[in-house]
Amino acid sequence: MNVDIHPEILLFFDSHQASLPLFQAFEAKLYSLYPDTKKRVQKTQITYYSKYVFACVSFLRVKRKADMPAPYITLTLSLPYPLDSDRVAVKCEPYPNRWTTHIPVGSLRELDEELFSWINEAYTFSNRK
């Protein structure tokens, strides 16, 4: 599936133009693995869901500004456990056994097998709820 750049996506990236290629690469890979994924573009995030939400892209600053990569996107995953990785900036348990995990992504090489294995877990978890 080709990644379409709709006006609402361009508006979302209006103040973050340098992050758009990173987002496009992320979304292209996401849709190649999960073609049934739907998305909702909102003011502060782009939400991906199948049965339920499993991932979001935003510009949430999850570290001190000086520690955030430039450009970046923040990937938020819903997982059934606390993800233990140096790549995770913030994790919290808003509901029992449901962890919200924020991962800053600052380069194409970070869109790797490890990251997509976590996305797969989030996708699988969202479809089991």
Side-chain angles (χ1 to χ4, degrees):
M1 173 178 202
N2 287 338
V3 179
D4 296 324
I5 301 300
H6 295 284
E8 64 269 14
I9 298 286
L10 294 175
L11 185 61
F12 182 83
F13 281 91
D14 188 46
S15 300
H16 302 274
Q17 290 292 316
S19 298
L20 186 56
L22 185 58
F23 167 77
Q24 289 175 296
F26 162 77
E27 193 170 82
K29 188 166 183 178
L30 182 80
Y31 279 120
S32 74
L33 296 170
Y34 312 104
D36 65 325
T37 297
K38 299 169 201 68
K39 76 177 165 190
R40 185 171 48 250
V41 180
Q42 300 162 286
K43 186 175 181 179
T44 59
Q45 70 183 27
I46 300 171
T47 305
Y48 297 92
Y49 59 99
S50 179
K51 185 175 178 183
Y52 295 103
V53 172
F54 66 92
C56 300
V57 168
S58 70
F59 296 110
L60 184 65
R61 195 177 321 140
V62 291
K63 295 181 177 183
R64 292 180 321 145
K65 186 174 184 176
D67 295 333
M68 289 297 289
Y72 77 94
I73 57 175
T74 298
L75 178 62
T76 301
L77 301 175
S78 178
L79 293 166
Y81 64 91
L83 183 57
D84 186 27
S85 170
D86 292 340
R87 296 172 72 171
V88 173
V90 177
K91 56 189 167 193
C92 63
E93 188 179 23
Y95 301 100
N97 301 313
R98 192 159 95 202
W99 288 81
T100 300
T101 306
H102 302 288
I103 305 166
V105 178
S107 70
L108 294 174
R109 76 177 163 277
E110 292 177 53
L111 300 175
D112 59 8
E113 187 176 314
E114 180 179 52
L115 182 70
F116 274 87
S117 72
W118 299 331
I119 292 169
N120 184 61
E121 289 181 52
Y123 178 84
T124 302
F125 177 57
S126 75
N127 284 308
R128 274 197 319 245
K129 292 185 210 176

